[in-house]
Amino acid sequence: MSSPLAKPQIIAHFQKSLNYTVFDSKWIPCSAKFVCLGNFARGTGVMQIYEVQHGEAQLIKEVEYPKPIKCGTFGATSLQQRHIATGDFDGNLNIWNLEMPGPPVFTVKAHKEIVNSIDGVGGLGIGDGAPEIVTGSRDGTVKVWDPRQKDSPVANMEPVEGETKRDCWTVAFGNAFNDQDRCVCAGYDNGDIKLFDLRNMSVRWETNIKNGVCCVEFDRKDINMNKLVATSLEGKFHVFDMRTQHPTKGFDSVSEKAHKSTIWQVKHLPQNRDIFMTAGGAGNLHLWKYEYPAHRSKTDSDDMEVGVAGSVTLLQNATLSTQPIASLDWSPDKQGLCVCSSFDQCVRVLIVTKLSQV
Amino acid sequence: MRCADAASSLQNQTTTADNSGKVPVEHLDYDYIRKCQDVKYLDMIWRVLRSGDEGIYPHLIEFCESHLEKLDPMSLVLRKEKPVATAASLSNDEWSQIVDELKKWQEETKETETSLKQQSMFDELVNTNLPPIRGSNRSFPLSQTSVPKEKRYSSKHTLPRDYREWDKFDVEKECERIDENLVKNDASVIISTGHPKLKTKVDASMLTQQEKLLLANYEKDKGNEAFRANDYEEAVAYYSRSLSIKPTVTAYNNRAQAEINLKYWHNAMRDCVRVLELEPGNMKALLRRATVYNHMCNFEMAVEDLRVVLKEEPQNAAATQLLSETEKKRKECQPEQQSKGKKILIQEVEEEDDNNNNEKTKAEDTARPVEPSQPVGGEESSAAPAERGDMGNAQKKPHSRGDGGPHSESNNSHHGHRRSKGGSSDKYKVTQESKEKVANGTSKRGSTASVPADQSNSGKETPVGGNAGETVNLDAPCGALPPPLARLKNEGNLLFKNGQFSDALEKYSQAIQGCTDSGIDSPEDLCILYSNRAACYFKDGNSQECIQDCTRALELQSFSIKPLLRRAMAYDSLERYRKAYVDYKTVLQIDISVQAANDSVNRITRLLIEEDGIEWREKLPDIPLVPLLAQQHRREEPPSAEVLQARAEKTVRDAERKAEGRFTALKQEGNDFVKKGQYQDALGKYTECLKLKPEECAIYTNRALCYLKMERCTEAKQDCDAALKVEPTNKKAFYRRALANKGLKDYLACSSDLQEVLRQDPNVQEAEKELEEVTALLRESLANAKALPAKPRKTVPITEVEGDEEATGVANSESSHRGEDITTNLRPTDAYEYGQALNAARCSGNTAACADLLASTTPETLPQFLSTQLDGNTISFIMQALDSHLLEKDPNLVYRHLNHLHTTDRFSVVLMLLEKEERRHMTQLFEHLSAVQSTEFTKNDVQNLANKYI
């Protein structure tokens, strides 16, 4: 925010009313198209592809599925194929070829209950190593899948038998900066955040933010863990500095109470990892900027490195709707272009200006 | 108003006191809000206002918000829910710009998309280089209750065991588990620090062009982000990745910047060069390369790059700043130059005299034709004006005017300078002298040799007597030239100044001719004449002749700056750049500050690079190395940031560094000699030092020290004077002069010097003591004119050698040695002095001194003197002194001392605290003492005494 003129503006480019409940919307990489996932009132799932053309969204394709689709990702596919991986209400993980209708190219009964969240890495040139998909479900498990391996996950994080299963609301990949290292972060309904190290197959860190974790995201999946944002049910979000882990204190964080309602989504700008947008339950969007402290770590009294969190500044906010905004996605190709969907059965394409000047 | 203020401040106090309480209604007031500085309280007020409980005042709310914003711009209150902006909320221009961009992007992406699709149709090769699938289905259970490291076993065993469980407890198994856990702990505690595993290369061989571009950009973005987070190592890694996919100018450029921040100068340089290969004239790369050059101390190249940048972008603030910084550094790099001179104005024929009359004279010159008198010539040049008067040419005007005329002394060597200065300062004397001469009517006739030349001039000369106006003195002495020739030269100078170059040329030619004809052996003057004529040729555009004349001048006097410069300019104008370059460089070796040469060198360098490429230097003729002697009249550059860099500087610096090195070496040797006490040798070294650098204060003071040591007080005083001339506040110089003065028995001067030292630094104890002493001596000497110093005193031994920095240790060593002095010489009169003397002796381990002291003390007074200062060390020391020195000489005294010593205060306490070694000394003493036969005491007495001690 160097000057008031340089302040980014959130502009509603256009909106499209839909005849179904939309749960997720995603840009198709390397295109001006986006996918909307949801469920019809009749209980079936739907996937629609829209193209941005002449200031409005042109429906290109619509496919109906037997089960409502909760979430999707392009994270584990190549730029050439651009297959979307989806999770549905029945606990299935499907990978679809958008070009060719028909049965999914990959399908697995991943969970016993609804797949709440999905994320992919290793595709699109983002993240070294194998393409992998992680799913988090109400059944309390977090599973990592390799599209080349049918039927069984490559890693499975499940609660111990006999303990109450917590609803996993969100999953995210991170730390995939080389072939071996990779982390999965999962957030649960009781406020637990767990960081699984897929290399060591162990829990590397966990914490509790007291309220249900609605969304977690690393600022970048394919770098040495840098920052993690976790949003919560009561309208707070926490930014963890993931560079310095203290053996007992873990990662330092800064938290901000921003929305007066649940923060449903957080998404980092693909072109600048220090800018992110949060989407709230009251239909509002907040654009934030993280500022690093002068020194990102210090040594504490025991001579251990401990991280130092920076600060967040609100760059802009805007109210779009009275209903929660359930999904949000930045275009990976065009800086400032983003799509969001809300429970008022609307999908909106937004333009955020002057992001490069922040 | 004041009342209100007081009230509000009162309120402030009260409100801060009960912050948590409710907001009183009277605080919902413009005045109150304006004065309130408490953000939290304002927040509360705002809430009350917003709630509407006290009524709705929209303007007051607004006011409250604006005030709050001033105090705390980040306040949450200021976060308002805003409706989303639409196209309408932007200006048409902005919006259309956004839409256009979007449209463009849409088209572009469509293209990429189609090409991607086509690619995928042909390219059925599924990525074969994908990493293998992660090892089979590995699941790890999670417990909700933290303790992450014991996941596998936690559910059962982290809980406290109940009794039944203890029954089944298998120790060995448990131990195994614990071991396992430990291993596991170690594994999971690994906290990856840094990013050693980050690959700097990406295998992009399988990717399509589009993908490569995207990926390269993506990696570059990651680099940028890391850069912004000041994580330069990571940034470099990502830029490298980007470059391994597809080399781009931006990535190279950015990597260069990251490397600069990491101080990897060589890598940064390589990247900058690569950018410039890909895109010559890339401003950022040039600027960055300049930065690198700057840090690699290659200031010339830095300046060159910066100038290119500034040429393209004159407004570039970073470049301007860096340029001035570089200039500054470059100057700092140059060794300081001591000698000062005048600035040479290159375009001028000669230096202008500082004479006040100059301007006026010049004006007159132009107004009137030259009015030469008729000199006879041949006299001593200083007497020339007198001669004129003598000739009775009706020129009885005061000479002061004429003297101001442009008498030439264009040689800028020291020699020339001195002469010129002498000349002008002698002006008055000469005039008086001349008057005397006129009165006396005696004068020396000039040599006839110059007469013909003189006569050749006469045709042009206007009749002298008829002109009532004031004339210009054209007979001003010119070096060793006989007056007629000098006159010719001056005329030439005058004509040159007036712009009549061809006429001036003629005059100079005549003068040269005259010189050769008369066989005058004055290369200096001839050199000047040639040089001046060369200037005329140059002005006439005859560069060839100019070069010839300059060459002749240089044959007569090599490394004369003006002919060199003129020849360089002539070569330059003939576009013989290499020769010009060499000459300019030579000029710069002689005087680095010649601006024109600096500029030209830079210009020519560029021309030559264009012409010959990078190896342009190889085609250059050799640049002659200017001997040190010729460099001496370089001077400090004027503090102008615009002075441009010349490469010759390096050679110059080397030479200077050599001189500097020699100087330092000599000084060091001198210092070493002083430390060894070889003052004569040190003296020699310091004298040599001063030959190299006559302005070095420290050397003078050091030499003064040597002189002092050798008791050559007069020389010492002279050196101190010299040092004080260089540095008028040098403490050491004052102190040493004081000592020298003392040695010379000039107590008055001595005391004033000491007072000066103390005025500068009241903490110099030596000076204080010395002053006391000297004051006493002064009083004595005043009282008794004949009186010699009461006691023969050693000269104060000052053994320190002045280093480059004033060592604090110096004072210490001086004081300790002074202490010795006191021990041996002082007859203490009270406990304090005695204690000091004793301590001094003890510190230096000088038992003899102590023995002397003890010998001069009456045993009865010993306890008094020692008073409370007695300690184990002192006793032991006294024992040793008694044992080793006094016992032999005077055992009785020893006995008496011992007899009294034990009556000292605190003796018994000290005795208890004695250490083994100290006791041993004591026993030894008593043993020795008991062995001595004496009339004053018996063995029994000694035994009794010993009982008191041991």
Side-chain angles (χ1 to χ4, degrees), chain A residues 7 9-13 27 30-33 51-54 79-80 82 99 124-126 128-132 146 148-149 152-160 163-164 166 177-182 188 190 192 194 196 198-204 206 220 222-224 243 245 247 256-258 260 270-273 284 288 292 296 313-314 316-320 331 333-334 337 350-351 353-354, chain B residues 74 76 79-87 89-90 94-95 98-99 101-103 105-106 109-110 112-113 116-117 119-120 123 125-127 130-149 151-152 154-155 184 187-199 201-202 206-208 210-211 214-215 218-219 221-222 225-231 234 238 241:
Chain A
K7 201 171 168 179
Q9 293 289 328
I10 300 172
I11 303 160
H13 189 27
W27 288 100
C30 266
S31 74
K33 292 182 275 194
E51 179 154 22
V52 178
Q53 259 175 355
H54 316 299
L79 270 176
Q80 290 168 16
R82 287 178 293 169
E99 302 296 325
L124 307 172
I126 296 173
D128 287 2
E132 281 176 338
D146 191 310
R148 296 168 294 177
Q149 175 177 300
S152 63
V154 290
N156 182 5
M157 285 77 82
E158 57 188 350
V160 189
E163 274 190 31
T164 45
R166 306 303 333 196
F177 63 95
N178 63 15
D179 287 358
Q180 294 99 39
D181 281 292
R182 192 166 287 186
Y188 297 85
N190 63 345
D192 274 353
K194 289 174 197 281
F196 308 107
L198 291 180
R199 185 184 189 175
N200 298 328
M201 285 292 177
S202 63
V203 176
R204 178 162 165 181
E206 62 185 322
R220 279 269 180 280
D222 55 343
I223 57 171
N224 183 18
R243 274 293 154 87
Q245 184 178 4
E256 179 87 12
K257 164 102 181 153
K260 289 184 183 71
Q271 290 82 14
N272 185 346
R273 68 181 186 193
N284 41 24
W288 303 91
Y292 294 99
R296 291 186 67 182
T313 346
L314 181 68
Q316 188 57 275
N317 65 337
T319 309
L320 294 179
S331 163
D333 307 301
K334 173 77 182 150
L337 194 63
L350 310 169
I351 297 169
T353 60
K354 300 190 179 91
Chain B
M74 306 309 282
L76 286 171
R79 281 186 194 161
K80 293 266 177 57
E81 285 191 12
K82 288 179 202 160
V84 68
T86 56
S89 49
L90 290 175
E94 266 183 293
W95 181 244
I98 290 168
V99 170
E101 265 177 42
L102 206 62
K103 222 174 182 175
W105 168 74
Q106 282 165 17
T109 43
K110 234 176 188 167
T112 14
E113 206 185 355
L116 261 177
K117 276 180 197 165
Q119 286 280 349
S120 61
D123 189 34
L125 278 166
V126 182
N127 282 348
L130 273 182
I133 298 168
R134 202 175 286 278
S136 66
N137 180 8
R138 291 185 62 181
S139 65
F140 44 100
L142 304 167
S143 79
Q144 249 67 43
T145 56
S146 64
V147 199
K149 286 151 203 165
K151 280 284 118 73
R152 252 169 237 265
S154 58
S155 61
K184 243 181 88 63
S188 60
V189 166
I190 292 170
I191 294 166
S192 77
T193 49
H195 30 86
K197 291 150 267 165
L198 182 56
K199 285 194 292 184
K201 284 220 170 90
V202 175
M206 298 301 294
L207 299 176
T208 62
Q210 264 79 25
E211 282 178 301
L214 281 165
L215 276 189
Y218 183 71
E219 294 292 336
D221 280 349
K222 287 201 279 184
E225 286 167 349
F227 185 91
R228 277 195 290 262
N230 299 334
D231 198 339
E234 194 177 295
Y238 282 120
R241 282 167 69 97

Side-chain angles (χ1 to χ4, degrees), chain B residues 550-750:
Chain B
C550 288
T551 313
R552 269 182 223 131
L554 288 170
E555 276 163 10
L556 290 164
Q557 273 206 317
S558 45
F559 304 118
S560 176
I561 198 159
K562 282 192 177 182
L564 262 174
L565 199 56
R566 276 184 198 130
R567 194 169 67 175
M569 280 169 8
Y571 277 132
D572 202 354
S573 70
L574 289 174
E575 299 189 358
R576 286 152 77 177
Y577 292 123
R578 286 177 201 91
K579 289 195 169 183
Y581 181 83
V582 169
D583 276 349
Y584 278 131
K585 288 299 247 186
T586 321
V587 168
L588 286 175
Q589 282 185 63
I590 298 165
D591 189 334
I592 190 74
S593 65
V594 181
Q595 185 62 51
N598 269 322
D599 288 344
S600 304
V601 161
N602 285 331
R603 183 171 44 82
I604 292 173
T605 310
R606 249 172 289 137
L607 282 168
L608 287 176
I609 291 173
E610 263 173 43
E611 212 170 294
D612 297 342
I614 304 164
E615 288 88 28
W616 62 279
R617 277 174 201 277
E618 286 165 22
K619 297 191 184 173
L620 284 180
D622 285 343
I623 300 172
L625 201 70
V626 177
L628 206 62
L629 209 69
Q631 290 176 26
Q632 273 177 358
H633 28 265
R634 272 172 295 109
R635 54 217 133 127
E636 270 176 50
E637 278 184 67
S640 140
E642 298 310 310
V643 178
L644 289 165
Q645 177 64 4
R647 283 193 202 140
E649 192 195 0
K650 209 177 167 190
T651 0
V652 174
R653 266 210 306 269
D654 282 348
E656 217 146 85
R657 222 176 283 144
K658 244 181 254 166
E660 188 76 24
R662 195 170 131 70
F663 172 81
T664 324
L666 279 171
K667 186 174 163 186
Q668 193 52 48
E669 282 172 41
N671 290 356
D672 289 344
F673 277 130
V674 170
K675 276 178 198 149
K676 286 183 209 151
Q678 295 162 298
Y679 299 113
Q680 188 64 50
D681 296 332
L683 204 61
K685 294 289 174 198
Y686 286 141
T687 312
E688 271 183 71
C689 274
L690 286 176
K691 270 182 206 156
L692 281 175
K693 272 197 187 179
E695 308 275 86
E696 198 74 7
C697 181
I699 302 298
Y700 280 116
T701 53
N702 283 4
R703 195 167 71 173
L705 177 68
C706 294
Y707 280 129
L708 273 178
K709 290 284 183 187
M710 295 160 73
E711 308 204 344
R712 286 157 69 178
C713 295
T714 328
E715 283 101 326
K717 192 176 170 221
Q718 275 167 5
D719 271 356
C720 290
D721 286 342
L724 288 172
K725 217 176 267 171
V726 179
E727 204 180 298
T729 56
N730 190 307
K731 251 189 306 185
K732 282 194 181 175
F734 273 118
Y735 183 66
R736 285 182 189 152
R737 191 166 72 179
L739 295 180
N741 279 330
K742 198 170 149 196
L744 293 168
K745 304 207 170 71
D746 185 352
Y747 299 121
L748 203 61
C750 175

Side-chain angles (χ1 to χ4, degrees), chain B residues 351-353 355 357-358 361-362 365 399-409 427 471-476 490 493-494 497:
Chain B
E351 293 174 41
E352 306 221 316
D353 206 337
N355 204 304
N357 295 333
N358 222 357
T361 327
K362 251 167 122 187
D365 287 346
H399 297 300
S400 56
R401 265 262 157 68
D403 268 89
H407 58 270
S408 170
E409 28 95 14
K427 229 180 284 164
T471 57
V472 177
N473 181 12
L474 287 172
D475 300 323
N490 290 341
N493 289 351
L494 199 62
K497 269 189 189 159

Side-chain angles (χ1 to χ4, degrees), chain B residues 25-81:
Chain B
V25 183
E26 54 267 29
H27 286 182
L28 306 177
D29 173 58
Y30 285 103
D31 263 353
Y32 182 79
I33 291 173
R34 189 180 297 126
K35 278 164 196 152
C36 183
Q37 299 293 317
D38 184 348
V39 175
K40 273 189 187 157
Y41 194 70
L42 273 175
D43 206 56
M44 281 169 66
I45 293 176
W46 181 80
R47 272 171 223 284
V48 170
L49 283 170
R50 279 298 296 254
S51 70
D53 291 348
E54 307 285 352
I56 295 172
Y57 313 97
H59 189 255
L60 187 58
I61 295 176
E62 211 174 282
F63 177 78
C64 183
E65 281 168 9
S66 67
H67 185 64
L68 203 51
E69 189 176 3
K70 263 183 251 159
L71 294 175
D72 178 19
M74 306 309 282
S75 171
L76 286 171
V77 169
L78 300 167
R79 281 186 194 161
K80 293 266 177 57
E81 285 191 12

Side-chain angles (χ1 to χ4, degrees), chain A residues 134-344:
Chain A
V134 62
T135 52
S137 160
R138 187 176 289 164
D139 67 6
T141 58
V142 173
K143 292 180 182 173
V144 181
W145 307 87
D146 191 310
R148 296 168 294 177
Q149 175 177 300
K150 291 255 177 190
D151 305 330
S152 63
V154 290
N156 182 5
M157 285 77 82
E158 57 188 350
V160 189
E161 259 177 80
E163 274 190 31
T164 45
K165 287 172 178 154
R166 306 303 333 196
D167 191 349
C168 176
W169 281 353
T170 176
V171 287
F173 270 120
N175 206 31
F177 63 95
N178 63 15
D179 287 358
Q180 294 99 39
D181 281 292
R182 192 166 287 186
C183 283
V184 168
C185 187
Y188 297 85
D189 64 343
N190 63 345
D192 274 353
I193 297 173
K194 289 174 197 281
L195 183 68
F196 308 107
D197 191 327
L198 291 180
R199 185 184 189 175
N200 298 328
M201 285 292 177
S202 63
V203 176
R204 178 162 165 181
W205 167 72
E206 62 185 322
T207 188
N208 188 293
I209 57 169
K210 293 192 187 89
N211 282 287
V213 186
C214 297
C215 187
V216 290
E217 196 193 38
F218 285 98
D219 59 349
R220 279 269 180 280
K221 292 172 189 172
D222 55 343
I223 57 171
N224 183 18
M225 280 196 298
N226 185 50
K227 284 192 331 273
L228 176 80
V229 180
T231 68
S232 71
L233 204 60
E234 94 292 14
K236 252 190 181 173
F237 68 86
H238 302 256
V239 185
F240 295 91
D241 186 312
M242 304 298 278
R243 274 293 154 87
T244 323
Q245 184 178 4
H246 188 274
T248 54
K249 292 177 199 157
F251 301 103
D252 194 29
S253 72
V254 59
S255 68
E256 179 87 12
K257 164 102 181 153
H259 299 251
K260 289 184 183 71
S261 53
T262 306
I263 307 180
W264 282 71
Q265 283 286 334
V266 57
K267 284 284 184 281
H268 286 86
L269 187 67
Q271 290 82 14
N272 185 346
R273 68 181 186 193
D274 299 324
I275 294 174
F276 57 92
M277 184 117 89
T278 53
N284 41 24
L285 294 173
H286 287 212
L287 185 68
W288 303 91
K289 185 179 191 227
Y290 180 83
E291 262 146 306
Y292 294 99
H295 299 286
R296 291 186 67 182
S297 68
K298 60 183 183 203
T299 42
D300 66 359
S301 48
D302 302 329
D303 227 22
M304 301 295 276
E305 284 272 295
V306 57
V308 180
S311 59
V312 283
T313 346
L314 181 68
L315 295 178
Q316 188 57 275
N317 65 337
T319 309
L320 294 179
S321 152
T322 52
Q323 294 297 308
I325 295 171
S327 77
L328 179 70
D329 194 34
W330 293 101
S331 163
D333 307 301
K334 173 77 182 150
Q335 175 169 295
L337 194 63
C338 76
V339 61
C340 65
S341 64
S342 53
F343 287 152
D344 55 2

